[in-house]
Amino acid sequence: MDAEVDESRIKEQYQKQFFGFTASEMVVGVNNAAKFYGEEMQKKMKDKLIDKGISPECAENFSQDIYQEWISNMSKNAKALTEYLPSNVFHIPDDILLPEDEVQIDQYTEEDEKKLDHETDLVCQEIKKLREVKAKIQKQSQLISQLPVAEIEKAASTIRQYEEFRKGITSSISELKSRQAEVEPANLQELN
């Protein structure tokens, strides 16, 4: 019995994946729509009967009787539909494979699995390294946040001064190289 229930549940899950809804969900939707439209029909029928001169009580009773008959017939048909749909409409042949199940088609060799294991190990090692770097950055951030603002501003000022000094040296080197280029051709001409 449990095997039948499990198989039925698996089939319903597969129907849900394949169609977007199961047979029982469709029957519920059809029943809800039938009840809604049946109630609308009852109201309109009652109004039409009253418009034709029938007393409101008789119109209410008559439309209620028709509605109850409608619901009774819908319940019988819903039961038949519940039995018919799974095996005739929602039946998915065994040879149909959903895209999310296609990965099960390819069977991996031991070599493929070893390669995947190796790649997984590499990714895990990279994650560990990134976690260590993150921890170091967080520690540095905590240390920086504990520094007084004056010290941070002083350090930033010192860094700016070093940067200006470096730019000055770079500029001087470029100027010296251009002068050297000017002087060397003149010296070569004098030697000739």
Side-chain angles (χ1 to χ4, degrees), residues 11 15 18-19 85-94:
K11 284 182 179 180
Q15 288 173 1
F18 192 74
F19 296 108
L85 285 176
S87 59
N88 296 297
V89 176
F90 284 88
H91 175 70
I92 300 172
D94 293 336

Side-chain angles (χ1 to χ4, degrees), residues 14-75:
Y14 216 64
Q15 288 173 1
K16 180 84 169 181
Q17 289 174 319
F18 192 74
F19 296 108
F21 52 88
T22 64
S24 58
E25 290 172 340
M26 181 177 176
V27 170
V28 168
V30 168
N31 275 339
N32 289 339
K35 285 179 184 177
F36 173 78
Y37 291 116
E39 289 169 1
E40 291 292 313
M41 175 192 68
Q42 177 191 8
K43 290 175 190 174
K44 288 183 180 182
M45 184 186 307
K46 177 183 162 191
D47 293 341
K48 288 282 186 185
L49 290 173
I50 291 173
D51 289 346
K52 294 203 179 226
I54 296 178
S55 71
E57 297 89 29
C58 286
E60 174 69 32
N61 290 338
F62 182 74
S63 63
Q64 186 64 31
D65 289 344
I66 296 289
Y67 176 72
Q68 291 303 323
E69 188 67 27
W70 167 267
I71 293 300
S72 175
N73 286 334
M74 281 305 299
S75 295

